[in-house]
């Protein structure tokens, strides 16, 4: 095969590492380390990662400039120069999470760390259109309660649905508690109605992601391969994490799901 033919055989769309992509990866690593171990100093980050101090300082300068990280003097615990400590700026990335339940929905506000700061609860409407309107009203109430003014707003909205969800396009395929929500493009509708970018997923996948996110912060020996199992009075579900990632399956729909088993044929139906 000639050199020209070999080059033509390379699949289109291949992306190689560039200085900017390396910097992007290093920035993500430093931000994650600050999240897990805050407060940290620039020297701590250089020591833990092995990245040159000059490179660490350049990236930290960018994180501080964009408002994602706050740098302030640490509490001195020995003589000498007082180090500057780094921690996440919670207010820099406000997000909302919507948890749809059979009787009530819960809207939650969180900052950059992902920890919930405030919640709002309202009854679950019976129709998908009314649900969208009610959620949009709750979002406006959240803006008011949090004193968002001018262009201040939330960055995105995450939606947890107790049922099957096509995560690629944010469509509810089926839910055991509200069959009228089936085949409803909830992410698209809420994004259109509220103006916020929206994502939807199965509630157990969202729970597994939360477990992974917070577990790595609290316990450094926590496994990144596990199954999140949820058993409630209206259903059974699961979310699967492999190699530190949610496993959505080839079509982002039904992989890793669990459900009821028939224990007594002809017996009483389950309450869900």
């Amino acid at each position: 095969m000639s050199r020209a033919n070999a080059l033509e055989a390379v699949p289109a769309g291949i992306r190689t590492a560039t200085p900017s992509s390396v910097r992007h990866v290093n920035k993500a690593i430093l931000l994650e380390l600050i999240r897990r171990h805050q407060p940290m100093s620039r020297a701590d980050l250089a020591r833990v990662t092995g990245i040159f101090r000059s490179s660490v300082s350049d990236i930290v300068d960018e994180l501080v400039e964009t408002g994602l990280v706050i740098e302030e003097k640490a509490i001195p615990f020995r003589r000498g120069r007082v180090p500057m400590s780094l921690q996440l700026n919670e207010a820099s990335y406000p997000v909302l999470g919507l948890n749809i339940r059979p009787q009530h929905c819960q809207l939650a506000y969180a900052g950059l760390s992902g920890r919930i700061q405030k919640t709002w609860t309202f009854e679950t409407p019976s129709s998908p259109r009314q649900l969208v309107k009610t959620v949009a009203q709750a979002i406006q109430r959240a803006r008011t309660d949090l004193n968002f003014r001018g262009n201040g707003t939330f960055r995105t909205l995450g939606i947890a649905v107790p049922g099957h969800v096509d995560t690629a396009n944010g469509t509810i395929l089926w839910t055991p508690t509200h069959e009228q929500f089936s085949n409803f493009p909830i992410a698209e509708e809420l994004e259109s109605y509220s103006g916020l970018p929206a994502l939807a997923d199965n509630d157990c996948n969202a729970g597994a992601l939360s477990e992974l996110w917070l577990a790595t912060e609290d316990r450094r020996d926590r496994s990144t391969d596990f199954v999140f199992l949820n058993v409630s009075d209206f259903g059974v579900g699961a979310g699967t994490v492999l190699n530190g990632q949610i496993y959505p399956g080839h079509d982002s729909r039904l992989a890793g799901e669990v459900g009821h088993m028939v224990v007594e044929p002809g017996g009483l139906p389950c309450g869900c």
Side-chain angles (χ1 to χ4, degrees):
M1 180 183 292
S2 67
R3 177 179 173 80
N5 291 336
L7 290 175
E8 290 177 359
V10 175
I14 282 184
R15 298 178 60 188
T16 59
T18 64
S20 62
S21 62
V22 172
R23 180 184 176 87
H24 179 76
V25 170
N26 287 340
K27 185 195 301 184
I29 291 173
L30 295 183
L31 193 60
E32 174 68 3
L33 283 171
I34 294 172
R35 180 185 77 85
R36 292 192 191 186
H37 308 294
Q38 60 184 324
M40 292 188 75
S41 69
R42 299 182 184 222
D44 292 334
L45 292 172
R47 185 179 66 256
V48 170
T49 61
I51 300 173
F52 290 119
R53 287 198 177 194
S54 58
S55 298
V56 168
S57 287
D58 287 343
I59 293 174
V60 169
D61 285 342
E62 182 181 342
L63 293 174
V64 172
E65 183 179 348
T66 56
L68 294 177
V69 169
I70 298 173
E71 187 172 34
E72 56 190 7
K73 286 187 177 181
I75 298 175
F77 59 90
R78 63 171 179 249
R79 293 181 180 179
R81 182 181 177 184
V82 178
M84 300 292 285
S85 65
L86 301 164
Q87 57 187 356
L88 297 183
N89 180 7
E90 281 284 353
S92 67
Y93 207 93
V95 295
L96 289 174
L98 174 66
N99 189 17
I100 301 175
R101 314 313 290 170
Q103 301 299 325
H104 295 88
C105 291
Q106 188 176 58
L107 188 70
Y109 156 66
L112 188 59
S113 71
R115 294 189 176 277
I116 294 175
Q117 307 293 323
K118 189 176 179 63
T119 62
W120 298 264
T121 303
F122 51 91
E123 291 187 4
T124 304
S126 58
S127 72
R129 297 296 175 185
Q130 188 58 43
L131 173 65
V132 169
K133 292 181 180 179
T134 303
V135 173
Q137 292 170 356
I139 292 174
Q140 186 55 48
R141 178 186 171 188
R143 287 193 178 105
T144 301
D145 290 352
L146 296 171
N147 294 318
F148 280 9
R149 303 180 186 279
N151 294 326
T153 189
F154 302 102
R155 294 296 190 95
T156 190
L157 170 68
I159 308 162
V161 181
H164 300 311
V165 180
D166 185 342
T167 58
N169 56 34
T171 297
I172 300 175
L173 300 177
W174 176 82
T175 176
T177 59
H178 293 81
E179 292 191 11
Q180 61 270 34
F181 291 174
S182 298
N183 299 313
F184 181 65
I186 188 168
E188 178 183 339
E189 291 293 331
L190 274 173
E191 185 168 330
S192 175
Y193 213 92
S194 69
L196 294 179
L199 302 169
D201 203 342
N202 170 265
D203 60 342
C204 292
N205 284 345
L209 182 61
S210 176
E211 180 72 14
L212 175 67
W213 177 265
L214 296 178
T216 53
E217 177 181 303
D218 298 330
R219 289 185 53 187
R220 294 158 183 76
D221 61 342
R222 191 65 173 268
S223 172
T224 55
D225 298 287
F226 61 87
V227 174
F228 177 93
L229 184 64
N230 181 36
V231 180
S232 68
D233 56 354
F234 61 86
V236 180
T240 304
V241 173
L242 296 175
N243 296 321
Q245 301 286 332
I246 296 294
Y247 180 67
H250 75 283
D251 59 359
S252 301
R253 293 187 177 190
L254 304 176
E257 280 290 348
V258 302
H260 289 304
M261 296 176 62
V262 176
V263 177
E264 180 61 38
L268 295 176
C270 177
C272 70

